[in-house]
Amino acid sequence: MHVTMNVNGEEVTGEIEGRLLLIHFLRDHLGLTGTHWGCDTSNCGTCVVWLDGEPVKSCTVLAAMAGGHEVRTVEGLERDGELDPVQRGFMECHGLQCGFCTPGMMMTARALLDRNPDPSEGEIREAISGQICRCTGYASIVRSVRWAAAHEAADREPADHEPADREPADHEPAPQKPVVLEPATDVTSGATP
Amino acid sequence: MTATDHRPAGFENNDQKPLGYGRMLRKEDPRFIRGRGRYVDDVQLPGMLHLAILRSPVAHARIVSIDVSAAQAHPKVKAVVTGADLAEQGLAWMPTLSNDVQAVLATDKVRFQGQEVAFVVAEDRYSARDALELIDVEYDLLDPVIDARTALDPGAPVIRDDLEGKTDNHCFDWETGDEAATEAVFASADVVVSQDIVYPRVHPAPMETCGSVADYDRVEGRLTLWSTTQAPHAHRTLYALVAGLPEHKIRVISPDIGGGFGGKVPIYPGYVCSIVASIVTGKPVKWVEDRAENLTSTGFARDYIMRGEIAATSEGRILAIRTNVLADHGAFNGVAAPTKYPAGFFGVFTGSYDIEAAYCKMTAVFTNKAPGGVAYACSFRITEAVYLVERIVDCLAYELEMDPVELRMKNFIQPDQFPYTTKTGWVYDSGDYEPTMREALRLAGYDELRAEQAERRARGELMGIGVAFFTEAVGAGPRKDMDILGLGMADGCELRVHPTGKAVVRLSVQSQGQGHETTFAQIVAEEIGIPPDDIEVVHGDTDQTPFGLGTYGSRSTPVSGAAAAMVARKVRDKARIIASGMLEVSVADLDWTKGSFHVKGDPSKSVTIQEIAFRAHGAGDLPEGIEGGLEAQICYNPSNLTYPHGAYICVVDIDPGTAHVKVRRFIAVDDCGTRINPMIIEGQVHGGLTDGVGMALMEMIAFDEDGNCLGGSLMDYLIPTALEVPDWETGFTVTPSPHHPIGAKGVGESATVGSPPAIVNAVVDALKPYGIRHADMPLTPSRVWDAMRGVPTPPI
């Protein structure tokens, strides 16, 4: 079947099998290998991408279901050569080691900060609790997100310093079109049943 | 200087006195945060095919027949291969790292659920999986052996009938220490405490599963293998020995690896299958296991059923420790441990205490479970050893009604006793335990915690404080004692300084997230004065790096880190001679300050390492006997292991209504000798502590009585998320290693080793009002609930 979607701001099309998972469409068809696959059961969250502004686990979304929608991956975090504060935070606060869970963690963190610019430690932990990291013990990930929040707050202080590459539309959590993806959109249902 | 300015905000004035460049940001991170890491599954080659493995659905059965005709008829299938096909080429069995053999594909029997039976090569991932469904295997079911305690029963089914003359499930016996001397001490001791302790089967479950891409060039006879391996050089040699391919025609590339934790040390059948498939089809072939395959078939950890015994005076002076261990090795002995150490380094079970005698007797058995045993950051079984000693010492404290800290302090090996030879023959290089323990007490506010606990207990609340103190043994070799399948455990390093003073350092070890590209640049920078940003670190490619045994057992810094320092010193020695020519003085008249040589007494006459590098490659004569260029290579053979230590304190609260354990605080004070990059050290400690929470409270690979794995997905095998762990509180002391060139010791596995006993000790301490002295991991609510009701059950 034929599928067309917007990935990181670009229209892409593909001829796919109906059963193809979004993660494999992104990785194998588009070569966007920044999004990783780590389990088959929506537990690990290494595959988190955005679908119309919502973090979803792309191992449990069919590529066909993303047809006509907007997908954002880790490759789309950097804008015009400018790193997202979340990316900088992960680097500054040692929020990663092997780097495998990192793209998914950063996508969730970006979504969290867009709807809650000043999250507490508990709110950050809850937001990433549908994702697993085996290296960092999470403390440095929490610090990384706090770092990003603090730097974005500082950037916002003088209104004329608002970064030009920040499109308010990107930060709207509500999807433009109805998407029925309940199991995958629930980023808080993780390894703890 | 730009390199030091890279320190993160808030750490410019850190007083941690790390080596040289200290808390430098990681050089590898820019690619990872952009999604530009390159992992095995990211490798895409033209014409690449995909491999999927058919696995046994049962734990023990004879294979009656395999019909692959329908799979072969699938339009997108290029090849279907069974054990019988491999047997024709002599490839159906391969050696394990413990001199046993393991089936690549089963020929006669399947011996564990998840064992490899056949593989399919197809045009895409999905078709390969489809075709697996078309293979028809007829099994004749056999009784399985699941509980290791029954493996040696008369009449137990014999699992390894492939081994000539094998009539039971005995794997090996091993002992260490002095049995008679230990018995004598026990016989006359005031107090003897005995406790059965199980370390259940767990799994490292790195976020990236295992996989490989094999590309065999039929014309050149050359194999390139991208694979998820922690030991690319050792794997290359083994492929040469097993498959008969000439070693110089094999290139193993271990690119970015998504976590290893020891699970990526062995050679798995899947790697071999991908090689065979590429040779058969003439195309590149990719194999990536799914999570169920990862959890059910690749490297498990632990599975030690232990009895610990401790003898002491009534005042709390520990006299002797004795243990009897039943080790479950699964269907094949796939342990990745040095040849002379079938139980790994379990011999350090005497811990951090100065005792009179010790003895261990171990029996290892085969069962119908996946092979493995050494993985999950265990430092070659030191996790088991430390858990045993730190649990049994707490049992003694319970019986003596002594504070567990006081008991430990009373028995510590003292600083003036180092180097200290234990009663099982391990020579601890250095240590100063009491300050480390006191630092942990200070950070925890131990006395206040005990006061709070007393108040809470009076109110009927369950609060526990657990203490553990560990001594690790990391950095294998030395090669005279330690080899894996005959390969000595030494590591090479090569350093090349380019004409403009930039450098490339090539390592035999390989990173799975440890940050080698940063740490090793820092080590070399410290020694030779070239900023870390000007030093490229190359690793994980056998064509690009010198031979060495790889990264596991926390051996990178103790062995390869020493190699990096020594090769830099070798280059510096040559630079000194060249500098003497440039400054027209003798080498004895030169002083080194980081980055330049100057004439003694006249700092204005100096040359930088960059100027020396250019001269080494430039025009004009060099001092007599000196060749052009500025480079060196060495192979470092460590004279001993390094012995880091640490003091851990855990605070838990247990809900009396649900038996749920909440880790409220965790204080970890580590001493890993000279610290290179404190940020990376803390990160590794944090990760290991999280492993500890997982093992102590959540993780277990369990089986039902038929041998069905009950932990085959991340829905069943529970790994801590951000909600199960606290914000870690870390501290440190520094006791340098006397034999390591920069005084560093390994640290990567310390926290995984030290945290489980601290957590279990805390839970048991919380349950003291119930009169409980021990409960086995994992301390899930149901197991804690059972313990509270006086029916603690050991895990199977």
Side-chain angles (χ1 to χ4, degrees):
Chain A
M1 64 184 286
H2 200 71
V3 68
T4 300
M5 68 184 83
N6 183 301
V7 178
N8 297 330
E10 282 183 31
E11 201 85 340
V12 297
T13 62
E15 203 51 45
I16 60 166
E17 284 188 69
R19 61 177 174 169
L20 185 74
L21 297 171
L22 179 57
I23 175 81
H24 289 138
F25 182 69
L26 294 170
R27 289 180 51 82
D28 296 347
H29 291 238
L30 304 183
L32 294 172
T33 55
T35 304
H36 300 136
W37 171 91
C39 74
D40 311 283
T41 48
S42 293
N43 291 104
C44 81
T46 61
C47 64
V48 167
V49 300
W50 285 14
L51 191 59
D52 294 338
E54 284 285 334
V56 298
K57 288 175 174 170
S58 62
C59 76
T60 30
V61 176
L62 294 172
M65 294 162 78
H69 296 275
E70 289 187 7
V71 174
R72 189 181 183 192
T73 71
V74 64
E75 288 91 346
L77 270 184
E78 192 176 0
R79 295 284 170 90
D80 301 324
E82 191 87 15
L83 288 176
D84 190 280
V86 168
Q87 291 173 299
R88 288 168 56 208
F90 270 70
M91 214 159 38
E92 291 288 336
C93 300
H94 195 33
L96 66 149
Q97 290 179 37
C98 80
F100 204 77
C101 76
T102 313
M105 288 285 182
M106 293 193 303
M107 295 311 290
T108 299
R110 181 68 264 155
L112 170 70
L113 293 179
D114 287 348
R115 63 190 67 169
N116 178 0
D118 187 24
S120 67
E121 179 187 335
E123 287 169 332
I124 295 169
R125 285 182 182 272
E126 186 166 337
I128 61 170
S129 66
Q131 287 160 261
I132 297 171
C133 171
R134 285 299 249 173
C135 299
T136 65
Y138 304 105
S140 60
I141 294 179
V142 172
R143 269 169 224 152
S144 301
V145 180
R146 287 293 314 155
W147 189 99
H151 279 74
E152 287 181 337
D155 286 349
R156 271 193 304 271
E157 283 295 314
D160 55 341
H161 283 188
E162 184 88 27
D165 57 270
R166 302 235 153 267
E167 301 279 338
D170 287 345
H171 299 254
E172 289 299 326
Q176 298 300 305
K177 297 168 188 172
V179 185
V180 186
L181 296 168
E182 282 311 311
T185 51
D186 180 11
V187 295
T188 60
S189 71
T192 314
Chain B
M1 171 131 42
T2 54
T4 46
D5 288 343
H6 274 195
R7 294 176 188 191
F11 292 111
E12 295 87 349
N13 299 315
N14 81 77
D15 58 353
Q16 302 194 4
K17 299 185 181 62
L19 182 83
Y21 296 86
R23 198 176 279 268
M24 191 183 119
L25 294 188
R26 298 206 318 170
K27 287 158 66 83
E28 42 273 269
D29 285 354
R31 69 175 183 271
F32 289 132
I33 53 137
R34 289 174 171 86
R36 297 286 294 276
R38 198 175 193 227
Y39 302 88
V40 168
D41 197 18
D42 300 343
V43 175
Q44 293 280 8
L45 300 176
M48 188 172 75
L49 303 173
H50 294 263
L51 184 149
I53 294 174
L54 181 72
R55 294 174 182 276
S56 170
V58 295
H60 200 193
R62 197 160 295 285
I63 296 173
V64 178
S65 63
I66 305 180
D67 181 356
V68 299
S69 54
Q72 279 173 327
H74 187 290
K76 290 189 174 176
V77 166
K78 300 296 181 189
V80 183
V81 174
T82 66
D85 300 325
L86 290 186
E88 286 175 21
Q89 309 299 321
L91 291 173
W93 294 81
M94 64 178 188
T96 69
L97 297 180
S98 289
N99 286 298
D100 191 7
V101 290
Q102 173 176 359
V104 176
L105 294 177
T107 50
D108 51 344
K109 288 203 309 191
V110 289
R111 293 175 169 85
F112 66 93
Q113 188 189 47
Q115 187 180 342
E116 299 79 2
V117 173
F119 70 78
V120 166
V121 186
E123 288 174 17
D124 62 80
R125 295 176 198 264
Y126 288 47
S127 299
R129 292 273 167 165
D130 286 345
L132 293 184
E133 303 288 326
L134 302 174
I135 299 174
D136 188 17
V137 185
E138 187 184 344
Y139 294 104
D140 184 9
L141 295 184
L142 300 168
D143 287 336
V145 178
I146 304 305
D147 185 349
R149 300 168 184 89
T150 67
L152 296 179
D153 286 355
V158 178
I159 298 165
R160 296 301 303 280
D161 48 358
D162 58 294
L163 301 173
E164 205 176 322
K166 192 76 181 155
T167 57
D168 60 21
N169 295 313
H170 182 257
C171 184
F172 64 81
D173 287 325
W174 177 80
E175 65 177 346
T176 186
D178 188 329
E179 184 177 16
T182 306
E183 174 54 33
V185 174
F186 267 86
S188 61
D190 300 341
V191 184
V192 171
V193 178
S194 175
Q195 180 65 54
D196 287 335
I197 297 171
V198 177
Y199 210 132
R201 177 175 280 233
V202 289
H203 197 283
M207 296 324 297
E208 179 203 37
T209 61
C210 296
S212 54
V213 176
D215 186 12
Y216 184 70
D217 182 328
R218 285 176 174 172
V219 178
E220 302 282 344
R222 195 177 162 78
L223 171 70
T224 306
L225 183 76
W226 287 262
S227 88
T228 51
T229 172
Q230 299 176 223
H233 287 279
H235 278 206
R236 182 190 60 185
T237 301
L238 292 179
Y239 291 130
L241 294 172
V242 174
L245 293 166
E247 197 168 6
H248 67 298
K249 297 280 193 183
I250 305 173
R251 178 182 184 189
V252 176
I253 301 172
S254 180
D256 288 324
I257 300 294
F261 316 110
K264 291 170 178 168
V265 176
I267 290 178
Y268 293 120
Y271 303 149
V272 179
C273 291
S274 71
I275 295 169
V276 170
S278 185
I279 292 172
V280 167
T281 61
K283 297 281 175 81
V285 175
K286 178 187 282 185
W287 164 70
V288 177
E289 67 184 3
D290 65 25
R291 180 56 65 187
E293 293 177 287
N294 176 253
L295 288 168
T296 57
S297 73
T298 48
F300 82 93
R302 327 288 195 259
D303 232 343
Y304 267 24
I305 299 167
M306 305 179 277
R307 163 156 293 188
E309 293 177 284
I310 191 164
T313 66
S314 48
E315 291 78 38
R317 177 77 198 142
I318 302 172
L319 303 172
I321 298 173
R322 182 163 62 186
T323 179
N324 195 297
V325 181
L326 178 63
D328 184 342
H329 278 236
F332 307 101
N333 188 10
V335 164
T339 303
K340 288 184 195 170
Y341 302 85
F345 299 167
F346 186 78
V348 301
F349 68 89
T350 56
S352 314
Y353 311 110
D354 182 26
I355 61 175
E356 293 175 12
Y359 178 67
C360 169
K361 167 96 173 70
M362 179 179 294
T363 301
V365 296
F366 293 114
T367 60
N368 287 112
K369 301 185 206 168
V374 167
Y376 207 169
C378 74
S379 299
F380 296 120
R381 303 275 193 194
I382 294 177
T383 38
E384 291 93 317
V386 165
Y387 182 64
L388 176 86
V389 62
E390 289 305 287
R391 208 58 283 291
I392 194 76
V393 165
D394 249 41
C395 290
L396 176 65
Y398 179 96
E399 295 297 340
L400 294 174
E401 296 183 5
M402 246 178 113
D403 181 273
V405 172
E406 186 192 342
L407 177 59
R408 284 174 170 84
M409 298 259 249
K410 196 168 190 163
N411 290 282
F412 277 155
I413 300 163
Q414 295 302 306
D416 59 4
Q417 291 179 280
F418 291 92
Y420 177 85
T421 304
T422 73
K423 291 294 180 274
T424 48
W426 297 80
V427 183
Y428 292 5
D429 60 345
S430 65
D432 192 356
Y433 296 161
E434 193 173 317
T436 310
M437 187 77 243
R438 291 203 181 281
E439 177 65 358
L441 298 174
R442 185 187 70 79
L443 290 172
Y446 186 73
D447 294 338
E448 292 81 357
L449 283 172
R450 285 290 177 201
E452 181 195 341
Q453 182 185 39
E455 282 172 31
R456 286 183 184 272
R457 269 194 186 149
R459 293 201 297 267
E461 294 175 27
L462 302 178
M463 170 186 169
I465 303 160
V467 178
F469 195 97
F470 65 88
T471 299
E472 264 260 62
V474 298
R479 61 188 294 168
K480 70 179 164 55
D481 294 323
M482 294 176 191
D483 69 272
I484 287 187
L485 283 185
L487 298 171
M489 299 187 78
D491 276 273
C493 192
E494 180 193 312
L495 175 62
R496 195 181 296 172
V497 184
H498 301 311
T500 57
K502 316 292 185 191
V504 56
V505 58
R506 298 168 188 277
L507 315 176
S508 57
V509 294
Q510 192 283 338
S511 170
Q512 308 103 48
Q514 295 91 334
H516 288 173
E517 289 164 42
T518 308
T519 308
F520 283 81
Q522 290 182 257
I523 294 172
V524 171
E526 176 71 13
E527 295 294 334
I528 203 166
I530 295 171
D533 283 349
D534 288 349
I535 299 169
E536 188 74 9
V537 177
V538 177
H539 60 114
D541 181 340
T542 56
D543 271 10
Q544 302 280 333
T545 58
F547 185 87
L549 269 257
T551 296
Y552 41 86
S554 298
R555 66 187 299 281
S556 286
T557 294
V559 187
S560 199
M566 297 303 278
V567 80
R569 289 176 191 179
K570 201 167 170 182
V571 167
R572 196 174 67 200
D573 288 345
K574 181 175 179 181
R576 178 187 289 269
I577 299 170
I578 297 170
S580 76
M582 294 168 76
L583 294 168
E584 297 179 328
V585 293
S586 78
V587 290
D589 289 334
L590 289 174
D591 275 341
W592 169 257
T593 48
K594 198 156 77 180
S596 64
F597 285 105
H598 64 265
V599 177
K600 273 184 180 157
D602 187 359
S604 67
K605 288 184 181 165
S606 70
V607 284
T608 65
I609 188 73
Q610 289 80 6
E611 290 165 338
I612 297 167
F614 202 85
R615 171 60 72 96
H617 295 87
D621 283 337
L622 292 169
E624 197 175 336
I626 293 296
E627 292 177 354
L630 192 57
E631 58 199 57
Q633 179 168 356
I634 68 157
C635 183
Y636 183 81
N637 176 29
S639 60
N640 189 6
L641 297 159
T642 66
Y643 293 80
H645 65 269
Y648 289 0
I649 297 175
C650 177
V651 182
V652 301
D653 296 300
I654 301 177
D655 182 334
T658 64
H660 175 76
V661 178
K662 175 78 183 168
V663 178
R664 188 207 308 176
R665 289 181 66 197
F666 200 106
I667 297 91
V669 177
D670 275 276
D671 189 324
C672 59
T674 304
R675 292 152 66 83
I676 299 160
N677 186 323
M679 178 185 82
I680 287 176
I681 292 171
E682 283 162 22
Q684 294 206 335
V685 169
H686 289 180
L689 297 175
T690 307
D691 291 345
V693 170
M695 290 178 282
L697 303 180
M698 302 165 73
E699 299 177 24
M700 177 170 158
I701 298 284
F703 295 83
D704 70 12
E705 60 190 12
D706 295 323
N708 294 307
C709 180
L710 304 178
S713 81
L714 295 182
M715 289 186 292
D716 308 298
Y717 186 71
L718 300 186
I719 293 171
T721 73
L723 292 179
E724 280 83 38
V725 296
D727 193 11
W728 309 108
E729 300 169 61
T730 58
F732 68 96
T733 55
V734 177
T735 312
S737 168
H739 63 83
H740 188 283
I742 59 173
K745 301 179 177 183
V747 74
E749 298 167 325
S750 285
T752 315
V753 166
S755 55
I759 299 164
V760 174
N761 288 349
V763 172
V764 172
D765 183 53
L767 298 178
K768 204 169 188 177
Y770 294 85
I772 288 163
R773 198 179 72 183
H774 177 74
D776 281 315
M777 301 186 285
L779 291 165
T780 58
S782 73
R783 298 181 60 78
V784 173
W785 186 263
D786 286 348
M788 287 161 68
R789 263 129 204 87
V791 283
T793 47
I796 293 177

